[in-house]
Amino acid sequence: NILKSMLKAQIVKDSKRVYGRKTEVVEVTNKQAVDFLEKNHLQGSSISKYRYGLSYKGELIAIMTFSNLRKATGQKSKEGSYELIRFCNKLNHTVVGGASKLFAHFIRTHSPDYVLSYANRDWSTGSVYEKLGMTFKGYTPPGYFYTKSKYRFSRFQFQKHKLVEQGEDPKLTEYEIMTKNGYHRVWDTGNLKYEWKQ
């Protein structure tokens, strides 16, 4: 459903359009963020420190989350520096100016020195990040995810040490374990890296 919604927004242009100026910025609980992202973001939820959403007529229709810089992306956490982790609209909705409104609220509220983010090259040209005033810094190598049946899974769920802790053979590679269990590995085209500086 998430893939269909993304394709419809790009090709058919029949998403329900809401203008950001007609929405209200609200703080979102961790549970609300997890529920919203699992239903509406292709990569699902992720740990975050700050979570903001756009409410329209009492309904949450967009969300943006932030964290400290993450070791998983090769960064060292430092005061005043953050990563924009997730942004998405509700399925079959387009919030015009929504990302800019949420990002501007974060900047006003936290006065960061630096914000980092990544755009998936499979789906993004990075235009939304440029509208936020971020600067393109380069490409990351291709990554991958796993599929089984009609479901998609983050590779971070299946790191080898986690699989071994679950009783898998430590002599096998992550890929060998996953293949043995009926999963397929799918490569993506990597990410675009963007930075914002005060």
Side-chain angles (χ1 to χ4, degrees):
N1 288 335
I2 296 172
L3 290 169
K4 289 177 182 177
S5 175
M6 293 168 72
L7 288 168
K8 284 171 66 179
Q10 294 296 321
I11 300 169
V12 186
K13 306 291 185 185
D14 70 344
S15 295
K16 180 178 179 182
R17 292 171 69 85
V18 177
Y19 289 93
R21 64 178 180 272
K22 295 184 176 180
T23 65
E24 177 188 0
V25 177
V26 294
E27 287 195 32
V28 176
T29 67
N30 183 61
K31 183 180 185 308
Q32 286 175 311
V34 169
D35 290 345
F36 190 89
L37 291 167
E38 288 297 330
K39 293 174 183 174
N40 299 288
H41 197 288
L42 193 60
Q43 293 174 293
S45 63
S46 181
I47 295 172
S48 59
K49 185 174 183 179
Y50 302 109
R51 300 165 291 274
Y52 300 103
L54 293 177
S55 176
Y56 178 68
K57 296 182 178 180
E59 179 184 17
L60 188 63
I61 59 170
I63 196 170
M64 185 176 280
T65 67
F66 300 84
S67 75
N68 294 326
L69 297 179
R70 298 179 296 168
K71 290 182 181 179
T73 59
Q75 307 294 319
K76 290 185 178 180
S77 180
K78 57 183 178 179
E79 187 176 349
S81 295
Y82 301 93
E83 183 176 344
L84 193 171
I85 301 290
R86 295 282 191 270
F87 168 71
C88 72
N89 296 317
K90 183 178 178 180
L91 288 188
N92 303 310
H93 284 65
T94 298
V95 185
V96 181
S100 296
K101 184 167 184 173
L102 287 168
F103 191 70
H105 178 81
F106 176 78
I107 299 299
R108 284 194 306 272
T109 304
H110 299 282
S111 301
D113 299 316
Y114 173 84
V115 181
L116 169 71
S117 196
Y118 297 93
N120 186 317
R121 292 181 67 194
D122 289 353
W123 293 99
S124 176
T125 61
S127 60
V128 68
Y129 295 87
E130 291 166 8
K131 290 175 183 176
L132 300 182
M134 302 185 89
T135 303
F136 173 66
K137 302 301 290 186
Y139 302 96
T140 68
Y144 61 88
F145 56 89
Y146 286 103
T147 64
K148 188 174 185 179
S149 182
K150 62 180 180 178
Y151 299 102
R152 171 189 170 120
F153 304 90
S154 167
R155 65 188 176 91
F156 294 109
Q157 294 176 244
F158 303 112
Q159 292 169 306
K160 183 175 175 178
H161 70 276
K162 295 179 181 178
L163 296 171
V164 171
E165 288 172 2
Q166 295 169 11
E168 296 290 351
D169 187 347
K171 295 178 182 178
L172 298 178
T173 66
E174 171 198 302
Y175 177 66
E176 289 170 334
I177 294 170
M178 295 302 290
T179 301
K180 174 176 69 76
N181 289 314
Y183 291 83
H184 299 280
R185 182 167 63 182
V186 180
W187 291 91
D188 63 22
T189 52
N191 296 309
L192 305 165
K193 181 179 179 181
Y194 281 88
E195 294 179 349
W196 178 93
K197 291 184 179 180
Q198 184 65 268

